[in-house]
Every structure is written in structure tokens, then in C-alpha cells.
């Protein structure tokens, strides 16, 4: 029953609309540098790498941006994700920072959803319920005033879930992951950016060809730069064809969920901390399907059921900071942007904007060094 599986170009007017929209307004503070064209390499072509590259290319149009990765859609961790904007809390990141990243991401995707780009970008609004077996466990989430129409479920709504005592209803955004990644890549190329397929084993290999490196390698940062604070959280999900479903359902524990999208419905899921196993487990697939059918019996009629497995790049806090690597007299500015875990889609544009700001600071430092060298 289960098996494993692995747009069109944007119009100029729509891209201009996106650039001019208040939620997408970019601050071009670094034009007019003495460096004619700073060269930026973004490592990683998943959601975080692509969004950072696009944001940098539009925030700092005087630079050149190149994405370098050995994996591209549909073979990235981001392709496995459900793409729902329902944040997961990072214990090591201040709540106000998480709320800012989420709001920036929500506003950005909401603007795309309100444009003609929505179908090709795979962005849709979806309403539904988050349900709890005890009312005492249902705290008001920090993002409740950002999503649309957040409220407590009515007694009539709760009758759909007789095993649950309390629930919250709201409308949020969903990304169809492969469509969105392809859309971001085409948007980057439209901005003059390049994409190279190559495995990077050492950041210093880039030093001769690039001025600044942006590290968006996710779980790969453990090996690439030796960050032992990042670890995998294995996720197994089912992608099914059930076009009659248009409301999401999420158990408050986050382990059972039904997320309808444009092309399929994602059923989940698992959170196996420390597991590197990418092989689907048939017993887990059956358990996921049974639990989701208990929440939505019509799923018994679902067809074209596929199993996907991904390793969430998890950390107590997203690593979003500058670092200057030193090797003898050589220096290599690096901006790290990784460790989003389960919250990548909810936070990606907010963290991309911060990464772009840090890249701008690196460029300003390089420009200052060049100016001093001329004196």
C-alpha cells in the first residue's frame, strides 16, 4: 500500500509588485560600495538556502549570488516537510525574536498569496483546527495574533473529535514544497543569481572565488563545520491524494496531523531525536495512517499513498550569526543560517532577512578594509 518516492517563469509586473509590497520592502543600504560586485556563495539549496539567496540578491542588488549544493528539489529535506506555517518553539531563542521571524514570514507569504504568483509558488490559505485532549494543556501560542481568525473551537466543532476536550481554530498559510523551491530558484535566476551542483567539503575551498560564504547546510553543518549542537530529528510522513479535504487537523502534541495542500495531503508523523535512518518503516506508516483516519475517517478512501522520510536539522536555537574564519593571513567571512528544525517554513523569510543584513555588514567591513588599504 505504501511506497517511497523521491511554473512557469514569473512575470516582470508581478515580481515588481512583490518587491514594492510593504511586507516585502527591502532596504538597499549597501549600494555604492567601492567593491564593484561582492561575490556571495550560499551553500545549500533547501528552503533556507534558497530563501537566503533570493533575499540577499534583492536586498543587495550590487552583489552576485551563487547557490552551491549537491542536492536540489525534489531531494532535499525541505521537500519532505508539510510546509505549514504553525511555529515550533526554539528553547534557546527569545520568543520575541521567534515572533518577529514568524510575522515577517507570514506577511511575506500572505503578499504572494494575494498575487498572481500564488499558484506557481504553491502558496495557499488553509483553515482548520488544533485539538487537545485536556483543556489545561492548551496555552495561547505566541503566534496566535499573527495567523488569521484565531479563536477557541465551538462545541459543535468539537463534536467532530469526541476524544478531545478543547481546540483552537484559525487560518494559516501552506507552501507546496517542491513548487515553492522551484519558484524561489527561478526567482533567484531572474535576479541574475547562479546555481551550481557541487559538494562542498571545506568552506576554504570557496575562498579564492567568493568574498563571503553563507552557510545554509542544515544537518550538514555537523560535518562541514563540526557543529555538534545540531542533531537529526527523523520525520516520516505520508503524501496522499484526498482532494476533498480542505481543512487541516493537528493534534496538540504535534505528532498526528492532516495538512491539505494544492497537490496532495500530508499525513504525519514522527519525531525521532537522534535517528539518522532514512529508510521508511512500514509499521510507522500504518500507525500514521490509522491515527489520521481516526481523526478524519474519510481518509480511508485516500489514494496514491507515498512515504517520505527526512531528517530535521534541529538545534536548541537557530544559528544565525557572523563568523570570520582565519587561516594564516587569509580571512573568510561566513554568515551561518541553519538549525531551523521543524520550524523552517514558519521562520524562513524572517531568518533570510536577518542573514541578508549580516551579509551587508560583512560587505561594509570588507569595503572599509579596502578603503584603509588604499590610504
Amino acid at each position: 500500500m505504501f511506497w517511497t518516492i523521491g511554473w512557469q517563469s514569473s512575470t516582470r509586473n508581478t515580481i515588481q509588485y512583490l518587491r514594492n509590497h510593504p511586507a516585502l520592502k527591502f532596504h538597499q543600504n549597501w549600494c555604492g560600495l567601492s567593491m564593484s560586485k561582492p561575490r556571495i556563495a550560499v551553500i545549500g539549496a533547501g528552503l533556507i538556502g534558497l530563501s537566503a539567496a533570493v533575499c540577499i540578491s534583492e536586498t543587495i542588488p550590487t552583489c552576485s549570488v551563487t547557490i552551491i549544493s549537491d542536492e536540489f528539489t525534489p531531494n532535499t529535506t525541505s521537500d519532505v516537510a508539510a510546509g505549514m506555517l504553525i511555529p515550533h518553539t526554539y528553547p534557546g531563542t527569545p520568543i520575541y525574536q521567534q515572533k518577529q521571524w514568524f510575522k515577517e514570514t507570514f506577511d511575506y507569504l500572505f503578499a504572494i498569496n494575494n498575487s498572481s504568483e500564488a499558484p506557481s509558488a504553491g502558496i495557499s490559505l488553509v483553515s482548520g483546527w488544533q485539538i487537545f485532549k485536556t483543556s489545561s494543556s492548551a496555552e495561547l501560542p505566541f503566534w496566535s495574533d499573527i495567523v488569521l481568525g484565531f479563536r477557541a473551537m465551538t462545541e459543535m466543532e468539537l463534536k467532530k473529535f469526541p476524544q478531545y476536550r478543547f481546540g483552537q481554530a484559525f487560518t494559516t498559510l501552506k507552501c507546496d514544497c517542491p513548487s515553492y523551491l522551484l519558484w524561489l530558484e527561478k526567482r533567484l535566476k531572474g535576479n541574475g543569481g547562479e546555481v551550481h551542483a557541487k559538494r562542498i567539503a571545506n568552506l576554504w575551498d570557496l575562498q579564492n572565488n567568493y568574498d563571503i560564504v553563507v552557510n545554509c547546510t542544515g544537518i550538514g553543518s555537523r560535518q562541514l563545520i563540526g557543529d555538534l549542537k545540531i542533531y537529526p530529528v527523523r520525520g516520516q510522513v505520508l503524501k496522499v491524494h484526498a482532494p476533498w479535504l480542505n481543512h487541516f487537523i493537528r493534534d496538540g502534541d504535534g505528532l498526528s496531523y492532516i495538512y491539505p495542500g494544492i497537490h496532495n495531503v500530508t499525513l504525519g508523523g514522527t519525531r525521532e531525536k537522534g535517528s539518522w535512518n532514512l529508510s521508511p518503516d512500514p509499521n510507522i506508516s500504518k500507525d500514521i495512517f490509522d491515527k489520521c483516519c481516526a481523526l478524519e475517517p474519510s481518509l480511508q478512501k485516500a489514494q496514491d499513498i507515498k512515504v517520505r522520510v527526512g531528517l530535521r536539522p534541529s538545534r536548541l536555537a537557530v544559528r544565525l550569526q557572523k563568523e570570520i574564519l582565519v587561516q594564516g593571513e587569509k580571512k573568510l567571512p561566513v554568515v551561518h543560517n541553519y538549525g531551523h528544525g521543524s520550524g523552517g517554513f514558519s521562520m524562513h523569510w524572517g531568518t533570510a532577512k536577518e542573514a541578508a543584513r549580516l551579509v551587508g555588514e560583512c560587505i561594509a567591513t570588507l569595503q572599509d578594509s579596502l578603503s584603509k588599504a588604499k590610504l
Side-chain angles (χ1 to χ4, degrees):
M1 185 179 186
F2 304 105
W3 60 92
T4 310
I5 63 170
W7 54 254
Q8 301 173 0
S9 61
S10 305
T11 63
R12 183 176 302 173
N13 289 341
T14 301
I15 291 299
Q16 192 61 45
Y17 161 79
L18 294 173
R19 287 174 175 166
N20 292 335
H21 192 282
L24 305 175
K25 207 69 174 177
F26 302 109
H27 303 286
Q28 300 180 10
N29 297 325
W30 304 293
C31 300
L33 296 174
S34 60
M35 296 172 62
S36 60
K37 202 169 184 63
R39 302 163 300 172
I40 316 299
V42 178
I43 314 304
L47 171 70
I48 302 305
L50 282 168
S51 56
V54 169
C55 192
I56 292 166
S57 71
E58 296 182 347
T59 303
I60 316 171
T62 55
C63 72
S64 68
V65 180
T66 302
I67 280 190
I68 305 173
S69 181
D70 61 338
E71 295 287 358
F72 294 85
T73 187
N75 299 315
T76 73
T77 297
S78 303
D79 288 286
V80 180
M84 286 287 289
L85 266 70
I86 301 178
H88 297 261
T89 303
Y90 303 102
T93 302
I95 289 296
Y96 77 86
Q97 181 67 80
Q98 297 182 56
K99 186 168 184 175
Q100 176 184 331
W101 289 341
F102 179 60
K103 181 170 178 21
E104 289 172 342
T105 304
F106 193 95
D107 290 349
Y108 155 77
L109 290 178
F110 190 70
I112 297 173
N113 179 255
N114 286 337
S115 78
S116 62
E117 289 293 292
S120 55
I123 309 299
S124 59
L125 283 168
V126 58
S127 301
W129 305 284
Q130 179 169 246
I131 50 179
F132 301 85
K133 291 182 178 177
T134 61
S135 57
S136 60
S137 63
E139 298 180 2
L140 196 66
F142 71 82
W143 42 265
S144 60
D145 60 342
I146 297 175
V147 298
L148 308 180
F150 188 93
R151 60 175 174 79
M153 288 172 63
T154 66
E155 290 187 13
M156 180 62 72
E157 287 172 309
L158 282 169
K159 287 182 178 180
K160 180 174 175 60
F161 311 104
Q163 302 302 315
Y164 293 80
R165 304 290 299 277
F166 180 78
Q168 298 158 337
F170 55 94
T171 298
T172 189
L173 289 151
K174 186 181 186 304
C175 301
D176 181 78
C177 307
S179 298
Y180 185 55
L181 296 182
L182 287 171
W183 184 81
L184 284 173
E185 183 178 327
K186 291 192 176 185
R187 185 169 160 189
L188 174 67
K189 291 178 179 177
N191 295 338
E194 298 183 1
V195 176
H196 293 169
K198 182 180 179 181
R199 181 176 180 81
I200 301 299
N202 190 324
L203 293 181
W204 281 105
D205 294 341
L206 302 166
Q207 196 264 341
N208 290 330
N209 297 315
Y210 298 95
D211 301 301
I212 300 165
V213 173
V214 183
N215 172 29
C216 300
T217 56
I219 199 69
S221 292
R222 189 177 177 94
Q223 181 176 1
L224 180 64
I225 61 171
D227 184 356
L228 300 182
K229 294 181 180 179
I230 192 166
Y231 56 90
V233 175
R234 181 184 184 274
Q236 181 166 320
V237 300
L238 308 180
K239 304 284 187 176
V240 309
H241 183 67
W244 58 88
L245 291 183
N246 52 24
H247 279 71
F248 73 83
I249 302 169
R250 181 182 189 271
D251 191 301
D253 63 11
L255 291 178
S256 296
Y257 50 81
I258 301 167
Y259 293 150
I262 296 175
H263 299 297
N264 56 41
V265 180
T266 302
L267 310 182
T270 64
R271 298 184 189 278
E272 301 168 68
K273 183 177 179 179
S275 174
W276 293 87
N277 181 16
L278 284 169
S279 298
D281 184 326
N283 293 324
I284 291 177
S285 293
K286 184 179 185 307
D287 185 58
I288 291 171
F289 192 71
D290 290 346
K291 286 182 177 179
C292 288
C293 285
L295 293 174
E296 179 54 66
S298 69
L299 280 170
Q300 294 283 358
K301 301 293 185 180
Q303 298 178 342
D304 194 21
I305 301 172
K306 299 177 175 66
V307 185
R308 299 301 304 267
V309 177
L311 304 180
R312 304 177 182 97
S314 299
R315 238 171 154 267
L316 288 178
V318 174
R319 188 178 183 193
L320 193 47
Q321 63 182 161
K322 295 181 296 182
E323 180 181 17
I324 305 297
L325 302 184
V326 179
Q327 192 177 78
E329 296 183 354
K330 296 180 178 180
K331 295 182 179 180
L332 179 62
V334 177
V335 172
H336 297 289
N337 181 20
Y338 66 86
H340 294 66
S342 301
F345 276 90
S346 295
M347 305 289 180
H348 73 278
W349 195 253
T351 56
K353 289 179 67 176
E354 176 65 10
R357 186 186 68 79
L358 294 175
V359 168
E361 290 181 0
C362 291
I363 292 175
T365 300
L366 292 173
Q367 184 247 356
D368 186 56
S369 297
L370 285 175
S371 297
K372 290 179 179 178
K374 292 178 180 179
L375 297 177

PDB file of all heavy atoms in Angstrom, residues 6 15 50 59 66 88 94 112 156 159 228 249 256 289 302 306 308-309 313-314 316:
ATOM      1  N   GLY A   6      10.811   9.507  -4.629  1.00  0.00           N
ATOM      2  CA  GLY A   6      11.814  10.505  -4.377  1.00  0.00           C
ATOM      3  C   GLY A   6      11.139  11.342  -3.281  1.00  0.00           C
ATOM      4  O   GLY A   6      10.664  10.683  -2.433  1.00  0.00           O
ATOM      5  N   ILE A  15       6.693  40.375 -10.156  1.00  0.00           N
ATOM      6  CA  ILE A  15       7.893  40.482  -9.333  1.00  0.00           C
ATOM      7  C   ILE A  15       8.054  41.910  -8.818  1.00  0.00           C
ATOM      8  O   ILE A  15       8.420  42.142  -7.671  1.00  0.00           O
ATOM      9  CB  ILE A  15       9.141  40.045 -10.126  1.00  0.00           C
ATOM     10  CG1 ILE A  15       9.091  38.534 -10.371  1.00  0.00           C
ATOM     11  CG2 ILE A  15      10.413  40.396  -9.377  1.00  0.00           C
ATOM     12  CD1 ILE A  15       9.073  37.703  -9.113  1.00  0.00           C
ATOM     13  N   LEU A  50      17.792  28.667  -0.390  1.00  0.00           N
ATOM     14  CA  LEU A  50      17.153  29.377  -1.500  1.00  0.00           C
ATOM     15  C   LEU A  50      16.555  30.709  -1.051  1.00  0.00           C
ATOM     16  O   LEU A  50      16.696  31.724  -1.742  1.00  0.00           O
ATOM     17  CB  LEU A  50      16.077  28.497  -2.126  1.00  0.00           C
ATOM     18  CG  LEU A  50      16.569  27.384  -3.058  1.00  0.00           C
ATOM     19  CD1 LEU A  50      15.439  26.414  -3.369  1.00  0.00           C
ATOM     20  CD2 LEU A  50      17.128  27.974  -4.352  1.00  0.00           C
ATOM     21  N   THR A  59      18.036  42.354  -1.671  1.00  0.00           N
ATOM     22  CA  THR A  59      18.405  43.358  -0.679  1.00  0.00           C
ATOM     23  C   THR A  59      19.676  44.085  -1.087  1.00  0.00           C
ATOM     24  O   THR A  59      19.820  45.289  -0.861  1.00  0.00           O
ATOM     25  CB  THR A  59      18.630  42.688   0.697  1.00  0.00           C
ATOM     26  OG1 THR A  59      17.453  41.989   1.066  1.00  0.00           O
ATOM     27  CG2 THR A  59      18.936  43.724   1.772  1.00  0.00           C
ATOM     28  N   THR A  66      25.547  33.130  -5.759  1.00  0.00           N
ATOM     29  CA  THR A  66      25.607  31.793  -6.334  1.00  0.00           C
ATOM     30  C   THR A  66      25.233  30.769  -5.283  1.00  0.00           C
ATOM     31  O   THR A  66      25.777  30.792  -4.173  1.00  0.00           O
ATOM     32  CB  THR A  66      27.024  31.472  -6.860  1.00  0.00           C
ATOM     33  OG1 THR A  66      27.401  32.435  -7.840  1.00  0.00           O
ATOM     34  CG2 THR A  66      27.077  30.075  -7.472  1.00  0.00           C
ATOM     35  N   HIS A  88       7.081  26.064  15.686  1.00  0.00           N
ATOM     36  CA  HIS A  88       7.558  25.237  16.787  1.00  0.00           C
ATOM     37  C   HIS A  88       8.550  26.075  17.579  1.00  0.00           C
ATOM     38  O   HIS A  88       9.379  26.786  17.008  1.00  0.00           O
ATOM     39  CB  HIS A  88       8.226  23.968  16.258  1.00  0.00           C
ATOM     40  CG  HIS A  88       7.296  23.080  15.495  1.00  0.00           C
ATOM     41  ND1 HIS A  88       6.691  21.969  16.056  1.00  0.00           N
ATOM     42  CD2 HIS A  88       6.830  23.144  14.223  1.00  0.00           C
ATOM     43  CE1 HIS A  88       5.923  21.389  15.158  1.00  0.00           C
ATOM     44  NE2 HIS A  88       5.984  22.086  14.039  1.00  0.00           N
ATOM     45  N   PRO A  94      14.984  33.727  22.009  1.00  0.00           N
ATOM     46  CA  PRO A  94      13.949  34.535  22.675  1.00  0.00           C
ATOM     47  C   PRO A  94      12.629  34.525  21.897  1.00  0.00           C
ATOM     48  O   PRO A  94      12.631  34.575  20.665  1.00  0.00           O
ATOM     49  CB  PRO A  94      14.562  35.941  22.711  1.00  0.00           C
ATOM     50  CG  PRO A  94      16.039  35.720  22.624  1.00  0.00           C
ATOM     51  CD  PRO A  94      16.217  34.502  21.764  1.00  0.00           C
ATOM     52  N   ILE A 112       2.391  37.124  -1.325  1.00  0.00           N
ATOM     53  CA  ILE A 112       2.472  36.260  -2.505  1.00  0.00           C
ATOM     54  C   ILE A 112       1.126  35.596  -2.753  1.00  0.00           C
ATOM     55  O   ILE A 112       0.659  35.494  -3.891  1.00  0.00           O
ATOM     56  CB  ILE A 112       3.580  35.204  -2.334  1.00  0.00           C
ATOM     57  CG1 ILE A 112       4.939  35.880  -2.221  1.00  0.00           C
ATOM     58  CG2 ILE A 112       3.579  34.223  -3.516  1.00  0.00           C
ATOM     59  CD1 ILE A 112       6.072  34.930  -1.891  1.00  0.00           C
ATOM     60  N   MET A 156     -19.964  22.694  18.771  1.00  0.00           N
ATOM     61  CA  MET A 156     -20.354  21.954  17.573  1.00  0.00           C
ATOM     62  C   MET A 156     -19.112  21.440  16.829  1.00  0.00           C
ATOM     63  O   MET A 156     -19.083  20.294  16.370  1.00  0.00           O
ATOM     64  CB  MET A 156     -21.190  22.847  16.658  1.00  0.00           C
ATOM     65  CG  MET A 156     -21.640  22.159  15.370  1.00  0.00           C
ATOM     66  SD  MET A 156     -22.712  20.723  15.691  1.00  0.00           S
ATOM     67  CE  MET A 156     -24.208  21.569  16.223  1.00  0.00           C
ATOM     68  N   LYS A 159     -17.554  18.371  18.405  1.00  0.00           N
ATOM     69  CA  LYS A 159     -18.272  17.103  18.233  1.00  0.00           C
ATOM     70  C   LYS A 159     -17.644  16.246  17.137  1.00  0.00           C
ATOM     71  O   LYS A 159     -17.833  15.026  17.104  1.00  0.00           O
ATOM     72  CB  LYS A 159     -19.745  17.372  17.916  1.00  0.00           C
ATOM     73  CG  LYS A 159     -20.538  17.867  19.114  1.00  0.00           C
ATOM     74  CD  LYS A 159     -22.002  18.075  18.752  1.00  0.00           C
ATOM     75  CE  LYS A 159     -22.793  18.536  19.982  1.00  0.00           C
ATOM     76  NZ  LYS A 159     -24.233  18.744  19.661  1.00  0.00           N
ATOM     77  N   LEU A 228      28.467  20.233  16.744  1.00  0.00           N
ATOM     78  CA  LEU A 228      27.850  19.069  17.382  1.00  0.00           C
ATOM     79  C   LEU A 228      26.575  19.433  18.137  1.00  0.00           C
ATOM     80  O   LEU A 228      25.945  18.556  18.729  1.00  0.00           O
ATOM     81  CB  LEU A 228      28.854  18.411  18.339  1.00  0.00           C
ATOM     82  CG  LEU A 228      30.151  17.909  17.684  1.00  0.00           C
ATOM     83  CD1 LEU A 228      31.040  17.233  18.724  1.00  0.00           C
ATOM     84  CD2 LEU A 228      29.856  16.967  16.523  1.00  0.00           C
ATOM     85  N   ILE A 249      -6.071  19.410  10.345  1.00  0.00           N
ATOM     86  CA  ILE A 249      -6.329  18.923  11.698  1.00  0.00           C
ATOM     87  C   ILE A 249      -4.976  18.615  12.320  1.00  0.00           C
ATOM     88  O   ILE A 249      -4.170  17.889  11.741  1.00  0.00           O
ATOM     89  CB  ILE A 249      -7.199  17.650  11.706  1.00  0.00           C
ATOM     90  CG1 ILE A 249      -8.530  17.901  11.000  1.00  0.00           C
ATOM     91  CG2 ILE A 249      -7.436  17.169  13.144  1.00  0.00           C
ATOM     92  CD1 ILE A 249      -9.331  16.624  10.738  1.00  0.00           C
ATOM     93  N   SER A 256       0.353  13.871  15.398  1.00  0.00           N
ATOM     94  CA  SER A 256      -0.651  13.459  14.414  1.00  0.00           C
ATOM     95  C   SER A 256      -1.214  14.706  13.742  1.00  0.00           C
ATOM     96  O   SER A 256      -1.669  15.629  14.428  1.00  0.00           O
ATOM     97  CB  SER A 256      -1.784  12.669  15.085  1.00  0.00           C
ATOM     98  OG  SER A 256      -1.298  11.468  15.635  1.00  0.00           O
ATOM     99  N   PHE A 289      -1.198   6.300   9.334  1.00  0.00           N
ATOM    100  CA  PHE A 289      -2.444   6.243   8.567  1.00  0.00           C
ATOM    101  C   PHE A 289      -3.638   5.960   9.479  1.00  0.00           C
ATOM    102  O   PHE A 289      -4.690   6.610   9.374  1.00  0.00           O
ATOM    103  CB  PHE A 289      -2.334   5.174   7.488  1.00  0.00           C
ATOM    104  CG  PHE A 289      -3.430   5.217   6.472  1.00  0.00           C
ATOM    105  CD1 PHE A 289      -3.491   6.241   5.536  1.00  0.00           C
ATOM    106  CD2 PHE A 289      -4.415   4.238   6.446  1.00  0.00           C
ATOM    107  CE1 PHE A 289      -4.499   6.290   4.592  1.00  0.00           C
ATOM    108  CE2 PHE A 289      -5.435   4.279   5.513  1.00  0.00           C
ATOM    109  CZ  PHE A 289      -5.485   5.308   4.579  1.00  0.00           C
ATOM    110  N   ALA A 302      -8.421   7.540   0.706  1.00  0.00           N
ATOM    111  CA  ALA A 302      -7.272   8.201   0.097  1.00  0.00           C
ATOM    112  C   ALA A 302      -6.548   7.272  -0.876  1.00  0.00           C
ATOM    113  O   ALA A 302      -6.502   6.049  -0.677  1.00  0.00           O
ATOM    114  CB  ALA A 302      -6.304   8.673   1.177  1.00  0.00           C
ATOM    115  N   LYS A 306       2.125   7.741  -0.690  1.00  0.00           N
ATOM    116  CA  LYS A 306       3.572   7.656  -0.778  1.00  0.00           C
ATOM    117  C   LYS A 306       4.199   7.968   0.576  1.00  0.00           C
ATOM    118  O   LYS A 306       3.654   8.764   1.342  1.00  0.00           O
ATOM    119  CB  LYS A 306       4.098   8.633  -1.839  1.00  0.00           C
ATOM    120  CG  LYS A 306       3.575   8.362  -3.251  1.00  0.00           C
ATOM    121  CD  LYS A 306       4.070   9.411  -4.214  1.00  0.00           C
ATOM    122  CE  LYS A 306       3.638   9.072  -5.657  1.00  0.00           C
ATOM    123  NZ  LYS A 306       2.176   9.138  -5.814  1.00  0.00           N
ATOM    124  N   ARG A 308       7.458   9.406   2.734  1.00  0.00           N
ATOM    125  CA  ARG A 308       8.650  10.245   2.662  1.00  0.00           C
ATOM    126  C   ARG A 308       9.314  10.299   4.035  1.00  0.00           C
ATOM    127  O   ARG A 308       8.618  10.331   5.062  1.00  0.00           O
ATOM    128  CB  ARG A 308       8.310  11.665   2.213  1.00  0.00           C
ATOM    129  CG  ARG A 308       7.684  11.778   0.824  1.00  0.00           C
ATOM    130  CD  ARG A 308       8.543  11.239  -0.281  1.00  0.00           C
ATOM    131  NE  ARG A 308       9.857  11.855  -0.321  1.00  0.00           N
ATOM    132  CZ  ARG A 308      10.181  12.919  -1.052  1.00  0.00           C
ATOM    133  NH1 ARG A 308       9.259  13.516  -1.791  1.00  0.00           N
ATOM    134  NH2 ARG A 308      11.400  13.397  -1.055  1.00  0.00           N
ATOM    135  N   VAL A 309      10.627  10.342   4.034  1.00  0.00           N
ATOM    136  CA  VAL A 309      11.400  10.422   5.275  1.00  0.00           C
ATOM    137  C   VAL A 309      12.409  11.556   5.147  1.00  0.00           C
ATOM    138  O   VAL A 309      13.063  11.709   4.108  1.00  0.00           O
ATOM    139  CB  VAL A 309      12.144   9.103   5.576  1.00  0.00           C
ATOM    140  CG1 VAL A 309      12.998   9.241   6.831  1.00  0.00           C
ATOM    141  CG2 VAL A 309      11.158   7.955   5.726  1.00  0.00           C
ATOM    142  N   PRO A 313      16.896  19.349  10.711  1.00  0.00           N
ATOM    143  CA  PRO A 313      18.157  19.850  11.287  1.00  0.00           C
ATOM    144  C   PRO A 313      17.884  20.646  12.564  1.00  0.00           C
ATOM    145  O   PRO A 313      17.656  21.856  12.529  1.00  0.00           O
ATOM    146  CB  PRO A 313      18.715  20.740  10.172  1.00  0.00           C
ATOM    147  CG  PRO A 313      17.497  21.237   9.463  1.00  0.00           C
ATOM    148  CD  PRO A 313      16.445  20.146   9.568  1.00  0.00           C
ATOM    149  N   SER A 314      17.901  19.978  13.696  1.00  0.00           N
ATOM    150  CA  SER A 314      17.398  20.570  14.942  1.00  0.00           C
ATOM    151  C   SER A 314      18.521  21.072  15.849  1.00  0.00           C
ATOM    152  O   SER A 314      19.610  20.499  15.907  1.00  0.00           O
ATOM    153  CB  SER A 314      16.557  19.536  15.691  1.00  0.00           C
ATOM    154  OG  SER A 314      15.445  19.143  14.895  1.00  0.00           O
ATOM    155  N   LEU A 316      18.876  23.735  19.709  1.00  0.00           N
ATOM    156  CA  LEU A 316      18.132  24.472  20.725  1.00  0.00           C
ATOM    157  C   LEU A 316      17.795  25.874  20.243  1.00  0.00           C
ATOM    158  O   LEU A 316      16.790  26.458  20.643  1.00  0.00           O
ATOM    159  CB  LEU A 316      18.939  24.551  22.029  1.00  0.00           C
ATOM    160  CG  LEU A 316      19.051  23.242  22.824  1.00  0.00           C
ATOM    161  CD1 LEU A 316      19.913  23.456  24.068  1.00  0.00           C
ATOM    162  CD2 LEU A 316      17.668  22.725  23.223  1.00  0.00           C
TER     163      LEU A 316
END
